[in-house]
Amino acid sequence: MIDKETRNRIIAMVNKEVVPAIGCTEPMCVALCTAKATEQLGCRPEHIEATLSANILKNAMGVGIPGTGMIGLPIAIALGALIGKSEYQLEVLKDLTPEALEEGKHFIAENRITIGLKEHICEKLYAEITCTAGDKKSTAIIAGGHTHFVTDFTDTDERSDNDDIALNMRLVYDFATTSPLDEIRFIEEARTYNMNAAREALKGNYGHNLGKTIDRPLSKGIFGNSIYSHIISRTASACDARMGGAMIPVMSNSGSGNQGICATNPVCVYAKENENTSEELVRALMLSHLTAIYIKQSLGTLSALCGCVVASIGSSCGITYLMGGDYERICYSVKNMIANLTGMICDGAKPACSLKISSGVSTALLSSLLAMEGKCVTSSEGIVDDDVDRSIHNLTSIGANAMCKTDDMVLQIMASKGC
């Protein structure tokens, strides 16, 4: 068993990275930054200037803002100033009322908000909000993490991540499978949040209704009434609700609600239908979420690589464990995932994310099945290495470095459409 001190450090890391969030985390990050700047100003702003990194802009262009029926940054910024509370973190807008929404619309109509690109920065997650009222002025900056405030940009290299332990696949597996159950049972809260989001989707028409579509008779004629179709439906439904603007929190992973959904719902549905024990589900959820956190350590918070690739690798590990797979089989599932999904681009947070999540989860199931048959993509094929950790770092080096020009082109295309 891993020593107590190491376990405590990993638990602290999971508690930092797996947190509730309402709506897409990029506009919520900007709303949070606005709330902080407004609080520092001490009064209602007359004008708000938002200067954002390209990745923040990309991820906030086309996504629904919960409870508003609107998309994009202006309403998130307006509400951050009017009703946002920084103490709520990524649930910053949970006090939204119909009256506040109308006030926010007027604030936008009065041209009180300016949004621009922060030039010449390497940090992919950067939000700078300046609020003014008369001769009063206040600035707040978030950089490097969705809730990480800094006093100026030079502080971004001084984030308090020094307590984060450097993970590897063996450590992730051993922690999830051998830690005392009472120490890790808190991860069940992810199931409560994210399966509730899937149920919420049934109450309305959110996003592209992918989850509902998979449950319809025509789809059942194609996919069957199977564990596979149930997993796709429950995972896509939660994403539909979240991206479509439902006012419901989800448990995020590494700053992404969709990653949290993708790391949670497939594992929960499989465990229920496979009749796994409560302990097996807890350990599978921890394995899934911690695998995603491990991959993000070298990938970065935001990248050109779709987050569903990361989270689906986690869910494949969790499902393989629930199938009875040992460490070797779980490593097989990781390599099978990397051989398939590497290169899926992130073109912003939006309702169509449910399609990408469905592709990721489908591949997760296929990879687990192959792993349990003892089948694994070999080191003579593509970027996969004999060593599972090197395979993961091959994936993240492509996402964090080689795909940077892809990221620039994606943003250029989106901006040229006037999104």
Side-chain angles (χ1 to χ4, degrees), residues 128-409:
E128 179 179 326
I129 302 293
T130 299
C131 294
T132 56
D135 59 356
K136 297 175 67 176
K137 181 178 180 179
S138 175
T139 296
I141 300 173
I142 288 178
H146 289 80
T147 61
H148 184 254
F149 286 97
V150 298
T151 54
D152 59 68
F153 184 57
T154 59
D155 289 344
T156 59
D157 294 327
E158 301 173 4
R159 296 195 303 271
S160 56
D161 294 343
N162 295 330
D163 291 335
D164 284 356
I165 190 167
L167 298 170
N168 59 64
M169 201 62 219
R170 183 80 227 191
L171 180 58
V172 167
Y173 174 82
D174 287 346
F175 175 82
T177 59
T178 68
S179 292
L181 194 61
D182 287 345
E183 290 184 7
I184 62 172
R185 194 181 291 279
F186 67 89
I187 200 67
E188 281 188 303
E189 196 174 10
R191 175 183 64 175
T192 302
Y193 274 85
N194 295 348
M195 293 302 289
N196 278 346
R199 286 186 283 272
E200 177 67 23
L202 303 178
K203 301 176 184 177
N205 292 312
Y206 295 106
H208 297 295
N209 283 323
L210 180 57
K212 279 185 170 182
T213 300
I214 296 296
D215 267 344
R216 286 172 181 154
L218 176 60
S219 300
K220 289 183 178 178
I222 296 170
F223 298 110
N225 189 18
S226 62
I227 296 177
Y228 171 82
S229 65
H230 298 163
I231 287 175
I232 299 294
S233 174
R234 303 304 179 268
T235 309
S237 289
C239 181
D240 285 335
R242 177 174 178 265
M243 294 288 96
M247 195 67 177
I248 186 168
V250 302
M251 192 67 80
S252 64
N253 181 296
S254 304
S256 167
N258 283 346
Q259 285 173 197
I261 290 167
C262 200
T264 302
N265 292 24
V267 176
C268 293
V269 176
Y270 184 87
K272 180 180 179 181
E273 303 214 10
N274 194 50
E275 298 184 349
N276 288 97
T277 66
S278 173
E279 177 175 347
E280 288 169 338
L281 173 58
V282 169
R283 297 194 183 281
L285 281 173
M286 182 57 73
L287 178 60
S288 178
H289 277 273
L290 194 56
T291 297
I293 292 169
Y294 165 40
I295 297 172
K296 294 292 281 189
Q297 281 188 331
S298 55
L299 180 62
T301 306
L302 297 178
S303 76
L305 185 70
C306 178
C308 86
V309 176
V310 175
S312 295
I313 292 173
S315 61
S316 185
C317 291
I319 290 169
T320 303
Y321 172 79
L322 293 172
M323 289 178 172
D326 57 9
Y327 178 69
E328 181 182 28
R329 293 295 192 272
I330 285 166
C331 290
Y332 284 2
S333 67
V334 172
K335 294 178 186 180
N336 291 338
M337 290 292 293
I338 291 171
N340 192 333
L341 284 185
T342 298
M344 183 183 287
I345 65 167
C346 171
D347 55 342
K350 58 203 175 304
C353 285
S354 61
L355 292 164
K356 294 189 177 186
I357 279 183
S358 297
S359 296
V361 173
S362 176
T363 302
L365 290 163
L366 180 60
S367 296
S368 295
L369 289 170
L370 283 173
M372 293 305 294
E373 291 291 323
K375 303 294 184 183
C376 175
V377 175
T378 67
S379 60
S380 63
E381 304 174 69
I383 67 169
V384 171
D385 194 283
D386 286 328
D387 181 84
V388 67
D389 294 299
R390 281 198 294 269
S391 296
I392 287 170
H393 286 283
N394 291 343
L395 166 72
T396 58
S397 65
I398 290 172
N401 302 315
M403 293 177 70
C404 288
K405 288 195 177 295
T406 300
D407 220 12
D408 293 340
M409 179 58 71

